[in-house]
Amino acid sequence: MYTDLNGKVAVVTGASKGIGKAIALRLAQEHMKLVFNYHSDQNGAQEAVDQIRENGGDAVAVQADVSKEEDVNKLVKTAVEEFGDMDLFINNAGMEKETPTHKLALEDWKRVIDVNLTGTFLGTKAALNYFLDHKREGNIINMSSVHQLISWPHFADYAASKGGSKLFTETVAKEYAEQGIRVNGIAPGAINTPINAKKFADPELYAQTAELVPMNRIGKPEEVAAAAAWLASTESSYVTGETIYVDGGMKLYPEFKEGRG
Ligand code: NAD
């Protein structure tokens, strides 16, 4: 538990399921007040909000498309109206779709960049403006991926968005460090969430992916949420512009295991 998080306010985008939901639930366990953003799955977000409220916590579900500036601004506005302040903004929402690059439609490319990269920019911009207007310190966490480092055929749009997210995070961290605003990334490896539930339900496909992970298993959303809680807390107070990989060692070139190569 991170006692400094008690009573603080967080916005988590894409929190109706998967990693975003696990993060929001973990932060609620830390007694933070939560804005759960959802895009289309209102039930997923509302269920979690109800669960938190039943346990005596504070949370609210808010619809927003992270690729739209007015929607993203609404998330900060709601946090302040409902809970009086905002301490932390987590840009988690993301999407992917497998397509060979020569067949990738411009509109599909644009959608992935809009949600994953522009969404991160818009959330960061809204949070920065709030922190600067109130002359206060602040904390921003951007959900990236091991594919900010590892190229990924058939997912060029996704890899480009996450590579962009890495340098965006590092640039903004440097730009606002003096104001006490920390900006960090988390790069999950293969995590069992709805984005790839179908793949990991198939034992053969599960094993194929697990082979790419030195720890030889797929990760849990809660394991990513633990990294987010640490970055949210003052335990990480001297960390900015960093990416924490939560990937079971996936970025360590597992093909070279046992002296191969
Ligand atoms: P998921 O599909 O389970 O959840 C994605 C969330 O983003 C959903 O709640 C969805 O509604 C939301 N979303 C999508 N488009 C949106 C939009 N326009 N506006 C607002 N919300 C929107 O996926 P996940 O695995 O939980 O992924 C969460 C983040 O983690 C993503 O950024 C993803 O790229 C990243 N990630 C996931 C993995 C993995 O293996 N699951 C690995 C690396 C990185």
Side-chain angles (χ1 to χ4, degrees):
M1 292 290 284
Y2 300 107
T3 49
D4 63 288
L5 294 180
N6 196 334
K8 289 196 175 160
V9 181
V11 175
V12 184
T13 67
S16 60
K17 53 179 176 268
I19 291 171
K21 189 175 194 171
I23 290 174
L25 288 171
R26 170 64 195 262
L27 296 178
Q29 279 170 17
E30 302 283 347
H31 305 296
M32 289 190 86
K33 301 172 184 184
L34 266 306
V35 174
F36 274 70
N37 157 242
Y38 67 91
H39 182 228
S40 48
D41 180 10
Q42 183 176 11
N43 285 345
Q46 196 56 49
E47 243 174 50
V49 164
D50 292 345
Q51 189 186 322
I52 289 169
R53 286 196 183 142
E54 277 160 28
N55 292 324
D58 280 315
V60 62
V62 183
Q63 197 283 333
D65 179 341
V66 295
S67 69
K68 295 187 176 149
E69 190 158 22
E70 61 277 20
D71 281 21
V72 175
N73 290 341
K74 187 173 72 182
L75 296 175
V76 176
K77 197 163 168 267
T78 306
V80 177
E81 277 170 10
E82 292 281 329
F83 306 126
D85 199 5
M86 189 188 70
D87 300 278
L88 169 66
F89 196 105
I90 303 190
N91 291 298
N92 164 77
M95 60 178 294
E96 66 182 41
K97 195 171 157 219
E98 181 170 6
T99 316
T101 306
H102 67 286
K103 292 189 175 156
L104 182 56
L106 177 60
E107 66 190 75
D108 290 342
W109 164 272
K110 281 186 174 164
R111 187 65 189 151
V112 169
I113 299 293
D114 275 358
V115 173
N116 295 8
L117 186 55
T118 307
T120 295
F121 156 64
L122 292 174
T124 301
K125 182 182 169 189
L128 286 173
N129 275 301
Y130 179 76
F131 299 144
L132 295 172
D133 285 351
H134 292 81
K135 296 186 175 39
R136 52 154 299 163
E137 296 182 344
N139 198 337
I140 298 169
I141 299 172
N142 297 328
M143 195 55 62
S144 185
S145 161
V146 286
H147 297 297
Q148 70 171 33
L149 181 75
I150 304 174
S151 49
W152 201 18
H154 296 198
F155 293 88
D157 45 2
Y158 184 83
S161 73
K162 298 301 186 180
S165 174
K166 174 183 184 285
L167 265 185
F168 176 75
T169 296
E170 291 171 2
T171 298
V172 179
K174 198 188 284 182
E175 200 170 336
Y176 297 96
E178 261 186 62
Q179 281 87 354
I181 299 170
R182 295 193 295 126
V183 189
N184 289 290
I186 297 178
I191 309 295
N192 202 352
T193 67
I195 218 172
N196 44 32
K198 224 162 102 192
K199 184 161 77 180
F200 296 150
D202 177 336
E204 208 172 300
L205 293 178
Y206 181 105
Q208 251 177 41
T209 305
E211 225 174 82
L212 301 171
V213 184
M215 287 180 77
N216 204 32
R217 69 171 175 86
I218 305 305
K220 299 178 206 145
E222 293 74 19
E223 292 175 302
V224 182
W230 182 74
L231 281 175
S233 80
T234 50
E235 289 290 299
S236 62
S237 53
Y238 201 49
V239 178
T240 195
E242 193 51 75
T243 297
I244 300 186
Y245 285 81
V246 184
D247 67 347
M250 199 180 212
K251 75 170 189 312
L252 303 175
Y253 297 96
E255 316 82 64
F256 286 81
K257 260 200 300 196
E258 293 148 17
R260 266 184 277 166

